[in-house]
Amino acid sequence: MDTGLGSCDAYCVIMFGDYKFRSRVVKNSLDPVFRQSFRVEIPPNFEMEECRVQVWDWDRFDEDDHMGNAVVQISKGKLGTTELDGDHDIYIPDTMDTVKNSKGEQSKIRIKFVYYPTNGEDKDSDSLCSSSTGSMPNKLDSS
């Protein structure tokens, strides 16, 4: 949170298996909307993997502030369903305490997962998965 400004320059880091993506920075917002997509290959032997989303506050002159994490457990049986879509709680790093906004409400990040099965021609992977970060409907608070 930018001291004295009451705003955040938010961005997300998304990690899934060996993949790591960084969203764009949404400046001066306590309710950022990212609307970005990231695509990952799902290997044929895929059973379960954790998708971790880190929420950061970008700072021009200081180190960026790690605001919190959201974790989504992705299993083979959930691919192609809407079970993974929706709002996911944001937790404080290392404590698993929930991040609260200035109103005392739980902060969340909205994620949508889209599953694209291949036609079987690719021998290294049997599917592709694309996920996009949506908005954080609750404002983040620095406390």
Side-chain angles (χ1 to χ4, degrees), residues 101-115:
N101 65 17
S102 59
K103 296 177 185 174
E105 299 166 333
Q106 170 66 47
S107 291
K108 298 177 181 286
I109 188 161
R110 183 166 296 143
I111 304 173
K112 179 173 177 66
F113 292 88
V114 181
Y115 175 66

Side-chain angles (χ1 to χ4, degrees), residues 31-99:
D31 194 14
V33 176
F34 300 99
R35 296 201 198 288
Q36 285 185 266
S37 295
F38 305 95
R39 180 168 274 187
V40 299
E41 281 189 37
I42 304 295
N45 59 349
F46 176 81
E47 291 299 323
M48 182 176 283
E49 186 75 41
E50 181 177 276
C51 179
R52 179 176 299 274
V53 180
Q54 296 178 337
V55 182
W56 291 83
D57 178 23
W58 176 81
D59 290 317
R60 180 179 305 276
F61 301 110
D62 295 324
E63 283 189 29
D64 295 352
D65 302 314
H66 188 178
M67 305 287 286
N69 295 329
V71 177
V72 181
Q73 294 293 334
I74 300 176
S75 65
K76 188 173 188 173
K78 292 181 181 179
L79 293 175
T81 71
T82 57
E83 273 187 72
L84 301 169
D85 299 348
D87 296 339
H88 298 275
D89 293 340
I90 299 174
Y91 297 92
I92 298 170
D94 301 323
T95 68
M96 292 307 287
D97 292 332
T98 57
V99 174

